[in-house]
Amino acid sequence: MNMKKRTLNAMAVILAMFFVSCGTKETKKEMLIDKAQWLLGEWSNTSPEGTVVEKWAKQNDSTYLGNAFFVVEGDTVSSEIVTLEQKGAELFYVPTLEDQNDGNPVTFKLSEITDTKMVFENPTHDFPQKITYSKVDAENIMAEISGTVDGEPQVHQFPMQKVKK
């Protein structure tokens, strides 16, 4: 009888360790947004056409808020609000542009993530269908929008540097 109790106790301990271990893995899986911390801060790029600026801030443990705008000769000619949202085990990139989609947000679902790259896709959107952010190094990122327009592939890249304050 004593041996049977020990075996049952050992099995209970093993099962408890298994469930705790599974719970830990699930928690890590649910925090994909943590891999995007390198995006936080202010980024910009000035070209002959104007200046692109993106500002990203952590709103809470599951949401980053971004503000992107394009400035030409001191005037903001376009802007968008973007949320990077963790919902359960999924991560979404949700831009809202006042002059597109009747001002309604468009949702892009994460399809790939590493420590230096995030890819979001929405194959039903007109353009872009894919949004990619890549960390080049601590001071540089590359934002890219891609997809098809009238059956023709299109890719637009936006290299940006960290703004030093």
Side-chain angles (χ1 to χ4, degrees):
M1 191 70 154
N2 202 6
M3 181 66 154
K4 191 175 185 180
K5 277 187 177 180
R6 282 189 205 157
T7 303
L8 287 174
N9 285 341
M11 287 177 60
V13 168
I14 291 170
L15 282 174
M17 287 179 5
F18 173 77
F19 287 119
V20 167
S21 166
C22 287
T24 302
K25 287 179 185 172
E26 188 63 29
T27 300
K28 287 180 184 173
K29 180 181 176 186
E30 290 175 2
M31 298 315 296
L32 290 172
I33 198 164
D34 289 341
K35 284 192 167 194
Q37 287 184 5
W38 54 265
L39 189 60
L40 298 174
E42 184 173 341
W43 305 89
S44 75
N45 182 22
T46 300
S47 69
E49 292 83 26
T51 301
V52 174
V53 177
E54 285 195 17
K55 296 179 181 182
W56 288 92
K58 184 175 181 175
Q59 190 170 17
N60 57 47
D61 287 344
S62 62
T63 306
Y64 293 173
L65 186 59
N67 185 4
F69 47 95
F70 186 61
V71 179
V72 177
E73 296 178 4
D75 291 328
T76 301
V77 295
S78 68
S79 67
E80 68 181 311
I81 302 296
V82 183
T83 55
L84 192 58
E85 302 174 303
Q86 177 90 35
K87 292 183 179 179
E90 297 182 310
L91 190 60
F92 299 94
Y93 181 94
V94 186
T96 304
L97 287 86
E98 202 172 284
D99 61 346
Q100 292 182 18
N101 305 305
D102 296 320
N104 293 315
V106 178
T107 301
F108 292 80
K109 184 178 177 182
L110 180 74
S111 61
E112 177 186 343
I113 191 165
T114 67
D115 290 337
T116 59
K117 183 178 180 181
M118 298 179 291
V119 180
F120 300 89
E121 297 186 61
N122 180 340
T124 63
H125 190 249
D126 55 358
F127 184 84
Q129 291 91 37
K130 185 187 286 188
I131 298 170
T132 304
Y133 279 88
S134 301
K135 177 182 177 183
V136 177
D137 57 38
E139 302 299 318
N140 297 280
I141 63 171
M142 176 70 74
E144 179 180 287
I145 57 174
S146 60
T148 57
V149 176
D150 297 327
E152 295 294 319
Q154 300 281 320
V155 177
H156 301 280
Q157 293 185 323
F158 306 93
M160 290 183 271
Q161 299 80 38
K162 190 131 191 139
V163 174
K164 303 203 189 281
K165 295 197 174 199

